Structures are given as structure tokens and as C-alpha cells.
Amino acid sequence: LLLPLCLDVKVVASESALPLLLEADEISETVFLDGPHAAINYLTQGHVRINIDRVLPTLQRLTVGYLIHVDANSGMGRNGYDYRWQDLPAASRMLSESALYAFHLLKKWQRKQGLDSLPVSKVRQYLDYVKHLDGGDEMSHARELTLLYRQFYRARRYNSNSILRPVSIAARAVLDADPRLFDKDGLVEVVLGQIASFSERAQREGLAFFPKGSDRQSREIAMRAFSEYFVNQVFLESFRGDRSALRGKQLNLLKGACEVMYRAESARDRAEQELAENGDAGSAASENSKEGGEE
């Protein structure tokens, strides 16, 4: 895939010793992959004939797939470093099903490294990876949920369970609600009640703190917006009202994406706070310098 970009040529990739084509005019596409490996097929989304405008995006998907696989599966073996390419098809298949599996594999890397929390650099890296995997639409729910619950909840502990408590509580509230008794609006009220109760308890027990600058009214508005979005957009629309999705991998994928978004937003907040503090310190130093000069 690099050859067309660097040399402006058409490329046919094949294991066959015999030429499949004799003239470039025999294919209208820029790249032709003859019988690619299953892992490659997953990452290229089944496209074996690739036009020039799809060469770079396809190369990016392949590169991201390789890098995610190396993070999650490679490691030291008996004979040195083992890239475990035999595990690439499984990782590629997951990424072809959903770009959010990137965060599932990121958690695998985290466990392998023995880290309590994800480094900010890795969080940003994987958010970029998901963009190249065309995961923008899939990330929209995670982004919106995270931005909403960060308006009324900030975890004091930086582990996954603490960060994802609002999502876990909302899912449990929907699962526990009897579908014969609660319609759509009723489910929203059930989730809202559980979220409000948890928010007060977490604040009282020192498990969480309120966002800076928020007040009771703004937090109540955010809790209702979060509850409505979770029930209407996530459970009823995206999961099609399937309660089993709230018990299985679909919810876990969503939670993995929410955790990464939460950490990215926290890092952004800290960077803005440090910038403001440095600016204030610089202004104070400048004022002191002026006063000293006047004396």
C-alpha cells in the first residue's frame, strides 16, 4: 500500500508465482490483493480492490490494527520477543466488528503492564486509533454519556469501577425495572432516581465530588439529561430495548469507551487548570516586578 503512494504505481499482491496481470490497464483500481490473509481481510473491511482514494485510509487501518495487536498480545517469550502474529486474526476480527474493541484490547495491555490506571498518552493514542478505524459514530454515545455525567459526578478514585459508576448504576436500574410496570418515561424516572440517590451517597461518603462551578440545579438538569439519553438513545435506540445487551459485551464495550473519554476529559481539565494557574502566577510576578521598579 505504500508503493502507490510513494511511486505512483499500481500494485498486485499475490502469493502466486505466476503473474495475475500483464498490463496495468487490466485493473482499474490502484491495489489488488489476491487472496489476502483473514487478518488483512478483516482490517481492509473485505476490500481486495482498492482505489487510490482509499489507499491511505486502508493503510492507516492496517497500521492501527498491527499496533493494537502488538500492544495487547505481544511480549517476551522463551526465545526473545514474541509478536504472536497467530493472534492477529482474532484481534482484527474484533476490530472489524466494532472499533470499540480497541479499548477492550487496551485494557488487556493495561493488565499486562500491571497498571492501576491508563496513562493519558495511551488514552489519546487509542482515541486517534479509533478515528482511523472509522469509530466516530460508535464513540458518539460514549462521548455524550461521559460529558453528561461529568457535569454531576467526579470520581475521587481513579480506577475503572469508580469512573464508570453512573453508567453501571443506570444499566442496573433498567435491568431491575419490571418492563410490565415501566414505559419509556417510567424507565427514565427509575434511572434518575437511582442516579440522584447514588450522587448524594457518594458525596456524603467521600467517594466523589461535584464539578467545580456546578450547583444543585445544574446537577439535577445534568442527571435528568443523562438518564434520558441512556434510556432513549442507548437502551431503546442503540440496543433496541434488548436487556441482554446490558449484561454482556455491548455494555462492556460502551463502558470501555466511556472510561477512555473520562480520562481524556480529566487530562484536558488538568491541563487547562495548570495553564490558568501558570498564567495567574506570571501575572502576579509581573505586578510585583512593576511595584519593585516604582519603589
Side-chain angles (χ1 to χ4, degrees):
L1 290 172
L2 280 173
L3 291 176
L5 297 175
C6 297
L7 303 179
D8 191 24
V9 296
K10 291 185 177 182
V11 174
V12 176
S14 174
E15 293 183 353
S16 174
L18 300 175
L20 300 179
L21 305 170
L22 298 178
E23 299 291 339
D25 294 340
E26 294 183 44
I27 58 170
S28 59
E29 298 81 10
T30 305
V31 177
F32 173 40
L33 304 176
D34 177 42
H37 190 278
I40 307 302
N41 210 34
Y42 286 130
L43 292 175
T44 59
Q45 300 175 312
H47 299 303
V48 296
R49 292 177 176 264
I50 304 169
N51 289 317
I52 184 62
D53 60 332
R54 295 299 304 165
V55 171
L56 181 58
T58 302
L59 178 60
Q60 290 171 331
R61 285 182 61 88
L62 283 171
T63 304
V64 164
Y66 289 150
L67 293 174
I68 291 175
H69 158 75
V70 169
D71 276 349
N73 298 319
S74 65
M76 291 301 298
R78 291 183 178 180
N79 300 317
Y81 199 82
D82 185 1
Y83 286 97
R84 296 189 60 81
W85 295 117
Q86 67 270 24
D87 294 333
L88 178 60
S92 301
R93 183 179 65 253
M94 287 191 287
L95 295 173
S96 70
E97 291 178 6
S98 171
L100 300 187
Y101 270 109
F103 304 125
H104 167 77
L105 294 169
L106 175 59
K107 295 294 288 184
K108 185 177 180 180
W109 172 85
Q110 179 187 348
R111 291 191 296 271
K112 189 169 64 173
Q113 299 297 319
L115 300 175
D116 293 330
S117 62
L118 291 169
V120 174
S121 59
K122 212 68 176 175
V123 165
R124 291 170 177 162
Q125 186 180 55
Y126 270 69
L127 285 174
D128 286 337
Y129 284 172
V130 169
K131 291 178 183 177
H132 292 308
L133 292 171
D134 301 326
D137 292 340
E138 293 179 294
M139 281 296 296
S140 61
H141 286 320
R143 182 179 296 105
E144 187 65 22
L145 282 175
T146 305
L147 293 177
L148 285 173
Y149 80 71
R150 277 178 57 83
Q151 295 178 37
F152 62 82
Y153 173 82
R154 301 291 173 88
R156 288 198 180 278
R157 299 182 63 186
Y158 224 52
N159 57 46
S160 299
N161 288 336
S162 298
I163 288 174
L164 298 170
R165 283 294 285 166
V167 179
S168 300
I169 288 172
R172 176 49 55 187
V174 173
L175 285 172
D176 290 344
D178 191 332
R180 296 169 298 181
L181 301 177
F182 298 99
D183 58 6
K184 178 177 67 173
D185 294 334
L187 279 179
V188 171
E189 295 302 323
V190 169
V191 172
L192 177 59
Q194 291 296 319
I195 290 293
S197 176
F198 164 74
S199 179
E200 293 179 3
R201 185 174 68 255
Q203 177 71 13
R204 186 171 60 251
E205 297 176 0
L207 301 176
F209 61 93
F210 295 139
K212 186 177 180 180
S214 69
D215 55 28
R216 187 177 186 85
Q217 182 180 10
S218 67
R219 292 193 296 271
E220 288 177 351
I221 292 173
M223 282 188 277
R224 177 167 289 279
F226 171 82
S227 302
E228 290 175 347
Y229 191 90
F230 187 89
V231 171
N232 295 328
Q233 269 62 50
V234 177
F235 176 60
L236 294 178
E237 183 176 323
S238 182
F239 292 169
R240 302 182 185 278
D242 181 9
R243 291 172 181 265
S244 64
L246 295 177
R247 299 188 182 94
K249 68 177 183 180
Q250 293 302 319
L251 180 65
N252 289 333
L253 290 176
L254 177 64
K255 289 169 73 173
C258 285
E259 179 181 356
V260 170
M261 282 301 306
Y262 185 99
R263 294 184 188 278
E265 287 298 310
S266 294
R268 185 178 63 82
D269 288 348
R270 285 197 302 272
E272 291 178 354
Q273 182 179 355
E274 290 174 1
L275 183 62
E277 291 174 352
N278 291 337
D280 292 342
S283 298
S286 177
E287 290 296 328
N288 291 335
S289 176
K290 289 180 180 179
E291 291 176 1
E294 291 174 357
E295 292 176 359

